């Protein structure tokens, strides 16, 4: 196969898109490149290092932030390994330390955080898309939701696609979160199943089986105590030094990995520096311990792991085919030394790459191991692009593609190098098309050429918004468009790809409707329903039309005129009369469980987009004329819930707690993790306890043990009036039975009589970080537990303090209020009314 055919073969592999050639309109302009960028030495070094390593290492993790970012960083930045990470879930069941988003919206955020972290680690992330349904305690509980065989099928598929030589994971089969245990178990099974033609044979129509050579599981030692022993005959240990300084970037690999970890901001707070990390882990040596992995599985006949292994592929011998790859494509050298030693002389590097590339031949044997070839080819192209100073970009003139509307795309080839580049071909892939694009044939040094492509997004194109509705099909990341260039410099041919992920959205998008769900109660019956809409007009012209609300029985309740500027987010308020102004109508929701908000274009009366809002009528009463203050943490749950209950409520800032006259309130609520969200609240806490002492009711939602328990290092005293010490226990089964131990307690009887029905239809879990020890002043009201575990009694603690009342509750009321669970509204109404008969 000659060079040109070889290139075409590889290109066809890289972009296996059906070939549909059609006419393309283009405009072209040649202009001087904006500035001559100096070659980024770290980038060039990485590209050259990548040519020296043909291994792929996969890190398998249950959730975003469970990956071993340090080892991934070392493997790519020090060794040039192709590193991929594979996540079982998008992490949507977790908490959010920085914003209001939960569930699928959080999954979108955590995936984006993972993409940013991966860029720093130099790895590529992939997701199995299993549902993150929140904390679970066992692999069995996890598999009940995931389906064991489906999860295994997906993992085997990814292994067969990505073909890792070694797999590492932080998860074993027995410790921690059930998702971690399940992932630890799956990877052991998948290691064998991916190589077995009898397992998931339907995958073998497209793919081949794959035998990974080694599987490693993290051997966690104590930070300062004994470490897994590599001298023990039973354990084969791989050890990675995170403290090593990366000579190219001047920081340690651990520091780089910490910056990657910090990208998972929703799961923070993270240590700000390695020094802080060392302090937190009480390490006084100034060095992080070695990262150790135990060899758990190896392929039959795999060479044994050397005793001093520092990489997962240490001692692996290249297969016959890989040897052929190496023989044909062994990395270029200058005077027998690797090119990475010459990054200060980019001209010599480029000349060497050009000579080497022009002399490459390809034997048929090599095509057998086509995945290594494809990876190598990608890396050669990248090295030539960086060394030559030639780059390709694809941009769209609009932020979102709108079905039926034309978009102008720009493809630019910039030559900031010293040699001329010949453009042999340019193509645009996307929107179901593969178009040849005409560009300049030759690009002199220091010039740039830009061509534009006008395409109409098909009317039938699938929308990628709202993003949270497209978590599991991964369309929330946008549709993929690519510009592809075939180039030649002094006889060396190479290709460049410029990807663009584009959102596909309706002409007017409803970004958010608040509140959702809409909850109303006896106190708010007959009041106006009010919604806030966040809209964005994706057109290039102003939009004029109607916002319309209808209910499940198709009655339209409002037609509000709206005008939106092009490409600009806008907020619109809609209010309309309660469509169910009597108790009977409200309680009979058979036809009214949803309100639909639609945006209608003027003139055509065409519905541009519509979104639905659940509407829930709850028979929850509050003591009348209550004045409530609340300290919100991350979202508007408290605000919306109190509004639904018809309570006169005001959001308090920490300054208000410090300075305002708190006797204006009868009840104050601290949202979940409020002391973490507002660290200054700790110093103002005595004001809140004085408020209770004087007759107020203070309600504190759940906190994590390390955010709550007294800690002199953090100047944090006991925060409750009588001691409460939190542990890490949870009740994760949302249907776990509730046993009432004080059924006559006022909290369970006024104003609403609480019974077992109020704990029905809960979401995700019952509670977390349950109190472990508490003072005898507290009364407990009910117990609950996960199957097979001892009852936990401290889910809600209530005590009189002075003339007032203090309530600490580790149950997840906020998730239930947010989901519109009626019983949670009734119990919440009792909590805020408590002590105010
Ligand atoms: Zn996790």
């Amino acid at each position: 196969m000659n060079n040109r055919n070889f290139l075409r073969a590889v290109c066809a592999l890289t972009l296996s898109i059906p070939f549909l050639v059609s006419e393309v309109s283009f405009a072209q302009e040649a202009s001087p490149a904006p500035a001559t960028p100096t070659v980024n030495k770290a980038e060039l070094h990485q590209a050259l290092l990548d040519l020296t390593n043909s291994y792929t290492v996969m890190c398998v993790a249950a959730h975003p932030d469970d990956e071993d970012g340090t080892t991934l960083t070392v493997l790519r930045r020090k060794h040039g390994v192709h590193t991929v990470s594979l996540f079982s879930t998008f992490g949507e069941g977790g908490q959010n330390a920085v914003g209001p988003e939960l569930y699928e919206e959080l999954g979108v955020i955590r995936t984006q955080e993972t993409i940013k972290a991966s860029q720093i680690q130099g790895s590529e992330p992939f997701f199995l898309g299993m549902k993150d349904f929140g904390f679970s305690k066992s692999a069995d509980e996890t598999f009940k939701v995931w389906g064991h065989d489906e999860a295994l099928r997906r993992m085997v598929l990814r292994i067969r696609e990505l073909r890792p030589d070694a797999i590492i994971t932080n998860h074993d089969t027995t410790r921690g979160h059930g998702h971690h245990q399940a992932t630890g178990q799956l990877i052991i099974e998948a290691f064998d199943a991916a190589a077995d033609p009898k397992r998931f044979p339907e995958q073998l129509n497209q793919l081949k089986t794959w035998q990974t050579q080694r599987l490693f599981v993290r051997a966690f030692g104590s930070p300062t105590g004994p470490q897994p022993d590599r001298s023990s005959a039973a354990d084969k240990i791989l050890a990675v030094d995170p403290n090593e300084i990366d000579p190219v970037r001047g920081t340690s690999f651990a520091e780089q990995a910490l910056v990657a970890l910090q990208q998972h901001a929703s799961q923070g707070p993270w240590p700000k520096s390695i020094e802080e990390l060392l302090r937190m882990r009480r390490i006084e040596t100034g060095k992080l311990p070695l990262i150790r992995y135990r060899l758990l599985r190896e392929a039959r006949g795999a060479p044994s792991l050397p005793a001093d292994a520092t990489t997962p592929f240490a001692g692996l011998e290249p297969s016959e085919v890989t040897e052929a790859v190496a023989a044909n494509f062994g990395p270029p050298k200058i005077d027998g030394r690797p090119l990475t030693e010459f990054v200060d002389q980019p001209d010599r590097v480029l000349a060497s790459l050009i000579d080497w590339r022009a002399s490459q031949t390809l034997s048929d044997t090599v095509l057998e191991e086509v995945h290594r070839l494809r990876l190598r080819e990608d890396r050669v192209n990248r090295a030539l692009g960086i060394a030559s100073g030639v780059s390709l970009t694809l941009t769209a003139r609009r932020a979102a593609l709108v079905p039926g509307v034309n978009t102008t795309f720009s493809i630019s080839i910039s030559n900031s190098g010293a040699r001329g580049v010949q453009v042999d071909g340019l193509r645009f892939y996307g929107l179901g098309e593969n178009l040849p694009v005409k560009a300049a044939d030759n690009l002199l040094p220091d010039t740039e050429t830009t061509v534009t492509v006008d395409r109409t997004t098909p009317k039938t194109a699938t929308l990628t918004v709202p993003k949270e509705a497209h978590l599991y099909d991964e369309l929330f990341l946008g549709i993929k468009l690519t510009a592809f260039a075939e180039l030649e410099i002094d006889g060396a041919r190479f290709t460049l790809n410029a990807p663009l992920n584009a959102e596909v959205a309706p002409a007017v998008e409803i970004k958010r409707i608040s509140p959702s769900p809409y909850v109303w109660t006896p106190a708010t019956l007959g009041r106006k329903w009010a919604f806030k809409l966040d809209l964005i007009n994706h057109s290039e012209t102003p939009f004029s039309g109607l916002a319309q609300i209808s209910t499940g029985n198709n009655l339209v309740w409002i037609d509000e005129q709206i005008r939106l500027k092009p490409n600009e987010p806008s907020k619109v308020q809609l209010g309309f009369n309660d469509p169910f102004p009597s108790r009977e109508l409200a309680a009979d929701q058979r036809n009214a469980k949803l309100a639909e908000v639609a945006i209608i274009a003027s003139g055509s009366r065409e519905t541009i987009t519509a979104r639905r809002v659940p509407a829930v009528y709850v028979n929850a009463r509050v003591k009348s004329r209550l004045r409530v203050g609340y300290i919100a943490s991350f979202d508007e749950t408290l605000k919306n819930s109190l509004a639904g209950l018809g309570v006169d409520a005001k959001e308090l800032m920490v300054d208000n707690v410090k300075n305002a006259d708190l006797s204006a309130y009868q009840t104050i609520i601290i949202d979940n993790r409020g002391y973490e969200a507002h660290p200054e609240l700790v110093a103002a806490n005595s004001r809140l306890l004085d408020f209770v002492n004087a007759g107020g009711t203070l309600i504190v939602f759940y906190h994590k043990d390390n955010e709550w328990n007294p800690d002199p290092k953090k100047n944090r005293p006991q925060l409750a009036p009588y001691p409460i010490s939190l542990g890490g226990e949870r009740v994760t089964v949302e249907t776990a039975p509730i046993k009432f131990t004080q059924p006559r307690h006022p909290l369970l009887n006024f104003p609403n009589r609480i019974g077992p029905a109020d704990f029905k239809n809960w979401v995700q879990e019952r509670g977390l970080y349950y109190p472990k020890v508490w003072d005898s002043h507290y009364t407990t009201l009910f117990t609950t537990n996960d199957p097979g575990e001892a009852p936990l009694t401290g889910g809600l603690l209530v005590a009189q303090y002075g003339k007032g009342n203090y309530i600490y509750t580790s149950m997840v009321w906020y998730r239930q209020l947010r989901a519109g669970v009626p019983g949670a509204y009734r119990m919440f109404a009792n909590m805020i009314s408590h002590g105010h008969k």
Side-chain angles (χ1 to χ4, degrees):
M1 192 185 293
N2 70 24
N3 228 355
R4 181 173 289 244
N5 287 341
F6 155 66
L7 262 174
R8 296 225 188 274
V10 172
C11 301
L13 292 168
T14 312
L15 291 161
S16 46
I17 300 169
F19 228 71
L20 296 163
V21 180
S22 64
E23 277 300 299
V24 56
S25 62
F26 66 90
Q28 185 172 333
E29 52 200 78
S31 57
T36 305
T38 52
V39 173
N40 178 323
K41 277 185 202 161
E43 219 182 315
L44 179 60
H45 185 277
Q46 185 70 59
L48 298 171
L49 182 68
D50 289 349
L51 297 178
T52 67
N53 196 308
S54 63
Y55 290 113
T56 295
V57 175
M58 173 187 277
C59 179
V60 177
H63 310 108
D65 84 3
D66 287 331
E67 75 275 23
D68 175 1
T70 310
T71 299
L72 286 170
T73 304
V74 171
L75 290 175
R76 177 75 196 282
R77 301 297 181 212
K78 183 178 176 192
H79 300 286
V81 176
H82 176 236
T83 47
V84 295
S85 50
L86 180 60
F87 297 89
S88 301
T89 72
F90 298 104
E92 69 275 21
Q95 302 165 50
N96 185 348
V98 293
E101 300 84 359
L102 290 177
Y103 309 111
E104 282 77 12
E105 282 183 282
L106 178 62
V108 168
I109 290 173
R110 292 190 69 179
T111 305
Q112 286 161 342
E113 290 172 346
T114 302
I115 291 169
K116 283 195 253 170
S118 300
Q119 280 163 355
I120 296 168
Q121 297 157 356
S123 65
E124 282 176 62
F126 296 87
F127 297 86
L128 296 184
M130 305 316 300
K131 189 166 175 53
D132 180 357
F133 55 92
F135 198 90
S136 71
K137 290 179 178 169
S138 68
D140 281 352
E141 191 187 338
T142 302
F143 286 134
K144 268 187 198 137
V145 177
W146 289 2
H148 168 275
D149 292 359
E150 174 59 15
L152 182 61
R153 183 190 72 77
R154 294 186 194 188
M155 194 176 277
V156 166
L157 181 67
R158 282 304 193 189
I159 291 174
R160 285 173 173 172
E161 281 171 358
L162 297 165
R163 308 192 137 213
D165 299 287
I167 298 174
I168 59 173
T169 181
N170 278 339
H171 306 315
D172 62 30
T173 57
T174 55
R175 290 178 334 124
H177 199 314
H179 298 172
H180 295 189
Q181 298 177 33
T183 301
Q185 185 180 322
L186 283 171
I187 193 60
I188 296 172
E189 293 176 51
F191 182 87
D192 295 332
D196 183 349
K198 293 202 240 8
R199 303 304 303 274
F200 309 106
E202 72 287 353
Q203 294 175 0
L204 302 175
N205 295 330
Q206 305 282 334
L207 295 164
K208 291 184 175 175
T209 55
W210 180 249
Q211 178 64 65
T212 301
Q213 296 296 300
R214 290 172 178 157
L215 169 61
F216 295 88
V217 65
R218 185 75 174 267
F220 286 103
S222 78
T224 49
Q227 297 295 325
D229 187 358
R230 73 187 331 164
S231 66
S232 127
D235 282 345
K236 294 213 166 162
I237 300 286
L238 145 71
V240 176
D241 184 1
N243 303 293
E244 195 177 333
I245 301 291
D246 172 358
V248 181
R249 296 166 188 82
T251 53
S252 74
F253 295 113
E255 279 174 274
Q256 294 170 27
L258 179 59
V259 176
L261 188 64
Q262 289 162 348
Q263 308 308 308
H264 296 288
S266 67
Q267 306 306 301
W270 300 107
K272 290 183 185 56
S273 63
I274 294 292
E275 292 68 37
E276 189 181 330
L277 178 65
L278 292 168
R279 267 201 307 281
M280 280 171 58
R281 292 172 64 178
R282 302 200 168 81
I283 297 173
E284 278 153 19
T285 58
K287 285 202 175 270
L288 290 162
L290 296 181
I291 297 169
R292 289 175 163 85
Y293 281 94
R294 196 160 52 82
L295 181 65
L296 193 67
R297 275 273 197 289
E298 52 192 332
R300 191 177 303 161
S304 65
L305 185 74
D308 56 353
T310 57
T311 70
F313 49 86
L316 283 188
E317 285 152 21
S319 69
E320 205 176 303
V321 179
T322 314
E323 260 179 292
V325 173
N328 283 288
F329 300 104
K333 292 184 171 170
I334 295 176
D335 303 336
R337 287 155 59 200
L339 293 191
T340 46
E341 293 182 18
F342 295 88
V343 286
D344 290 325
Q345 302 171 57
D347 293 347
R348 283 188 79 183
V349 167
L350 179 60
S352 165
L353 279 174
I354 287 172
D355 287 350
W356 172 75
R357 175 62 159 191
S359 69
Q360 278 182 336
T361 54
L362 191 73
S363 68
D364 288 345
T365 346
V366 176
L367 275 176
E368 281 292 301
E369 204 150 327
V370 88
H371 76 284
R372 267 186 234 281
L373 185 61
R374 189 186 304 174
L375 281 176
R376 169 59 63 91
E377 186 58 21
D378 285 349
R379 293 178 154 202
V380 170
N381 285 323
R382 193 160 59 239
L384 274 161
I386 292 170
S388 65
V390 178
S391 61
L392 178 73
T393 54
L394 171 65
T395 52
R397 289 253 168 101
R398 49 168 71 238
L401 311 185
V402 177
V405 173
N406 183 73
T407 302
T408 302
F409 299 94
S410 296
I411 304 173
S412 295
I413 310 173
S414 161
N415 180 9
S416 66
R419 301 181 185 218
V421 57
Q422 189 183 317
V423 182
D424 293 338
L426 188 61
R427 306 192 75 85
F428 171 84
Y429 295 85
L431 303 172
E433 296 182 294
N434 171 352
L435 305 170
V437 183
K438 268 227 151 93
D441 291 344
N442 264 295
L443 214 56
L444 296 173
D446 267 334
T447 57
E448 180 175 73
T449 181
T450 299
V451 290
T452 57
V453 178
D454 284 302
R455 300 315 293 169
T456 299
T457 303
K459 279 209 162 142
T460 52
T462 312
L463 300 181
T464 66
V465 296
K467 288 185 177 182
E468 61 273 21
H470 291 285
L471 182 66
Y472 300 109
D473 60 19
E474 293 193 33
L475 272 178
F476 70 98
L477 294 168
I479 57 162
K480 289 188 176 69
L481 305 163
T482 312
F484 177 75
E486 288 178 272
L487 307 165
E488 199 169 328
I489 293 184
D490 296 340
R493 298 171 62 89
F494 65 105
T495 63
L496 292 178
N497 272 316
L500 172 68
N501 281 14
E503 199 167 86
V504 182
V508 174
E509 183 190 348
I510 303 172
K511 282 263 187 205
R512 180 180 295 272
I513 302 177
S514 175
S516 178
Y518 184 84
V519 174
W520 78 121
T521 62
T524 44
L525 201 63
R527 286 198 196 168
K528 260 197 177 342
W529 286 24
F531 290 100
K532 275 188 299 186
L533 267 54
D534 286 356
L535 302 174
I536 180 160
N537 173 10
H538 289 298
S539 320
E540 279 160 343
T541 50
F543 173 84
S544 115
L546 301 171
Q548 189 177 79
I549 297 185
S550 57
T551 51
N553 49 15
N554 286 326
L555 290 176
V556 174
W557 294 94
I558 193 169
D559 257 343
E560 184 127 337
Q561 193 71 39
I562 52 170
R563 286 177 200 288
L564 306 170
K565 289 184 187 163
N567 280 310
E568 220 175 81
S570 328
K571 288 191 190 299
V572 172
Q573 303 253 12
L574 296 179
F576 64 107
N577 291 331
D578 186 345
F580 311 101
S582 75
R583 290 204 63 177
E584 292 69 31
L585 278 175
D588 176 19
Q589 292 176 71
R590 272 167 301 186
N591 296 317
K593 281 184 179 156
L594 293 167
E596 183 166 281
V597 177
I599 304 298
I600 318 276
S602 289
S604 76
R605 300 293 295 172
E606 179 194 354
T607 300
I608 306 263
T609 185
R611 280 181 83 167
R612 292 182 149 191
V613 179
V616 187
Y617 177 75
V618 181
N619 190 14
R621 295 171 181 283
V622 265
K623 191 201 163 281
S624 54
R625 289 186 296 281
L626 263 188
R627 294 180 314 278
V628 174
Y630 62 93
I631 299 152
S633 293
F634 309 113
D635 71 3
E636 298 197 328
T637 299
L638 285 179
K639 179 184 168 181
N640 292 338
S641 307
L642 291 164
L645 290 167
V647 169
D648 175 14
K650 184 174 184 297
E651 180 171 1
L652 299 177
M653 303 296 145
V654 177
D655 269 352
N656 301 136
V657 174
K658 282 184 193 154
N659 306 316
D661 176 11
L662 297 182
S663 71
Y665 305 98
Q666 290 167 298
T667 296
I668 293 177
I669 310 158
I670 299 178
D671 205 348
N672 56 301
R673 306 180 65 192
Y675 289 101
E676 171 68 22
H678 310 283
E680 333 81 79
L681 194 57
V682 171
N685 195 51
S686 62
R687 293 264 301 160
L688 291 167
L689 298 186
D690 290 346
F691 161 80
V692 179
N693 196 21
T697 297
L698 182 65
I699 302 163
V700 182
F701 279 2
Y702 92 87
H703 282 68
K704 293 188 176 184
D705 49 354
N706 63 4
E707 298 164 353
W708 170 273
N709 290 340
D711 185 348
K713 274 194 195 143
K714 291 187 173 155
N715 282 328
R716 187 168 60 222
Q718 172 60 241
L719 296 167
Y722 306 113
I724 297 173
S725 175
L726 303 183
E729 286 183 295
R730 302 170 175 246
V731 179
T732 62
V733 176
E734 61 270 25
T735 53
I738 301 280
K739 242 196 222 153
F740 294 88
T741 53
Q742 300 277 343
R744 291 171 171 280
H745 194 280
L747 253 177
L748 294 176
N749 289 282
F750 176 79
N752 306 290
R753 175 160 293 177
I754 302 298
D758 292 303
F759 290 88
K760 282 201 175 139
N761 300 317
W762 275 43
V763 297
Q764 185 140 335
E765 58 199 340
R766 290 289 194 202
L768 65 179
Y769 301 98
Y770 267 66
K772 222 172 23 190
V773 192
W774 55 89
D775 188 271
S776 60
H777 282 87
Y778 291 105
T779 303
T780 63
L781 302 183
F782 35 68
T783 71
T784 184
N785 54 275
D786 276 333
E789 297 189 354
L792 291 173
T793 55
L796 190 150
L797 302 174
V798 54
Q800 281 194 341
Y801 174 66
K803 292 185 193 148
N805 290 276
Y806 184 90
I807 299 173
Y808 182 89
T809 177
S810 54
M811 300 188 76
V812 282
W813 303 106
Y814 83 107
R815 283 195 191 266
Q816 317 311 320
L817 294 171
R818 193 174 155 127
V821 175
Y825 277 82
R826 289 161 46 81
M827 186 65 202
F828 182 53
N830 283 14
M831 285 191 253
I832 58 177
S833 304
H834 188 57
H836 307 306
K837 276 217 170 154

